[in-house]
């Protein structure tokens, strides 16, 4: 059997070129950009600020409110503007991915708004968005026990690969493609997001997570470097 080659020419565990920058939106309380290749996400944090309407306030904690939006011209086929089931789902899973590292008890009755915008999309937008949002929250000075790092692993036919781009997500040969986005608390075994679009054998999950863990360490390095740059300035 011929050896499998990724359409992108990347190695099986090779992540696209990553880049991160903190402090990209001066008027936000915290902000960051994170990219995997042609997928570019920006995140802006506003708050903590008093939550209105008042009946939604929680006297024991701040509320985290994430809004993910894939902009109309971020994709080849223009996307209808405005919220969709997909954007609602990704906003919610992004919230759940971030909440376990945050200590929001210090800010009763308030809301922390996190706006995640995808400026350019080539798959992996939820993972890039989580990485950007995690950096933006740190930049805003919200108490966090660690950063959240995120990446997608997946399969093309029988092969486990990391950080699928759109061509790879659309792979149709053999068993087709599987997308398995994960997020975890950096330097820990605590997963905060596990989603699955496609199929994976239970016996392959461990290998996929090991590859994801190694990739997350590289994501974390890029995140730390970006935070360090802004602290040094
Ligand atoms: N996409 C698109 N139009 C849409 C939604 C998605 O072209 O309305 C593309 C975009 O490149 C996105 C990819 O499909 O990154 C995969 O989307 P998915 O829902 O799997 O989430 P993602 O991988 O971006 O987290």
């Amino acid at each position: 059997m011929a050896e499998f080659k990724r359409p992108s020419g990347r190695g099986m565990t090779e992540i696209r070129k990553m880049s991160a920058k903190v402090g990209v939106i001066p008027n936000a309380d915290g902000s960051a950009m994170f990219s995997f290749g042609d997928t570019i996400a920006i995140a802006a944090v506003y708050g903590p600020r008093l939550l209105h309407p008042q009946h939604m306030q929680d006297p024991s904690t701040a509320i985290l409110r994430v809004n993910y939006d894939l902009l109309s011209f971020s994709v080849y086929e223009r996307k209808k503007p405005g919220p969709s089931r997909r954007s609602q789902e990704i906003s919610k899973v992004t919230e759940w991915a971030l909440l376990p590292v945050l200590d929001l008890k210090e800010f009763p009755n308030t809301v922390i708004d996190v706006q995640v915008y995808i400026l350019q999309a080539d798959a992996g937008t939820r993972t890039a968005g989580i990485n950007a949002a995690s950096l933006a929250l740190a930049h805003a000075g919200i108490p966090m026990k660690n950063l959240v790092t995120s990446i997608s692993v997946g399969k093309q036919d029988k092969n486990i690969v990391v950080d699928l781009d759109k061509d790879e997500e659309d792979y149709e040969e053999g068993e087709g493609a599987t997308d398995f986005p994960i997020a975890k608390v950096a330097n820990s075994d605590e997963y905060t997001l596990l989603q699955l679009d496609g199929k994976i054998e239970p016996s392959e999950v461990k290998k996929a997570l090991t590859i994801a863990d190694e990739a997350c360490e590289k994501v974390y390095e890029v995140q730390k470097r970006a935070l360090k740059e802004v602290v040094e300035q």
Side-chain angles (χ1 to χ4, degrees):
M1 200 172 73
E3 198 186 319
F4 174 76
K5 287 226 164 46
R6 293 177 74 166
S8 60
R10 280 185 282 145
M12 304 294 200
T13 59
E14 190 180 337
I15 309 172
R16 287 175 283 181
K17 184 173 176 297
M18 289 182 276
S19 138
K21 193 166 168 52
V22 171
V24 292
I25 302 165
N27 284 358
D29 293 306
S31 62
M33 178 283 295
F34 192 95
S35 67
F36 286 120
D38 286 340
T39 291
I40 305 175
I42 54 167
V45 172
Y46 300 90
R49 52 189 178 180
L50 211 54
L51 176 59
H52 295 291
Q54 205 174 348
H55 70 84
M56 286 174 70
Q57 294 178 1
D58 184 337
S60 67
T61 181
I63 287 166
L64 181 69
R65 195 163 57 182
V66 173
N67 177 49
Y68 161 103
D69 195 6
L70 181 93
L71 299 177
S72 291
F73 295 98
S74 65
V75 281
Y76 292 107
E77 209 165 301
R78 181 182 175 276
K79 179 206 150 263
K80 191 167 154 256
S84 61
R85 281 181 64 144
R86 178 178 177 276
S87 68
Q88 282 177 29
E89 172 214 320
I90 298 181
S91 300
K92 210 66 210 159
V93 298
T94 302
E95 245 168 59
W96 290 335
L98 296 165
L99 270 171
V101 297
L102 300 175
D103 182 3
L104 303 182
K105 299 267 181 285
E106 272 181 47
F107 313 107
N109 300 321
T110 66
V111 60
I112 298 170
D113 276 304
V114 181
Q115 300 289 344
V116 175
Y117 288 110
I118 307 302
L119 305 185
Q120 196 169 277
D122 185 23
T125 62
R126 77 195 64 206
T127 55
I130 290 169
N131 291 331
S134 170
L135 282 173
L137 285 161
H139 184 223
I142 308 297
M144 296 167 81
K145 69 174 176 185
N146 210 332
L147 288 172
V148 174
T149 60
S150 183
I151 192 109
S152 182
V153 273
K155 282 181 73 182
Q156 288 188 282
D157 192 12
K158 294 181 168 34
N159 309 283
I160 296 180
V161 294
V162 75
D163 184 31
L164 285 80
D165 60 32
K166 180 75 176 123
D167 275 352
E168 292 180 317
E169 272 197 16
D170 293 343
Y171 190 79
E172 284 181 345
E173 284 170 46
E175 293 175 13
T178 296
D179 186 27
F180 187 15
I182 75 127
K184 62 186 295 205
V185 180
N187 284 337
S188 83
D189 294 329
E190 191 180 340
Y191 294 96
T192 62
L193 170 88
L194 284 172
Q195 289 190 289
L196 182 66
D197 183 8
K199 288 184 187 159
I200 190 160
E201 292 294 326
S203 57
E204 291 173 320
V205 170
K206 196 155 185 257
K207 181 177 176 196
L209 288 179
T210 305
I211 290 174
D213 287 349
E214 283 165 14
C216 277
E217 282 173 27
K218 293 179 186 150
V219 171
Y220 187 44
E221 288 308 313
V222 173
Q223 288 176 306
K224 273 194 302 190
R225 211 177 312 132
L227 271 178
K228 217 167 144 211
E229 263 169 35
V230 83
V231 170
E232 278 167 4
Q233 279 166 19

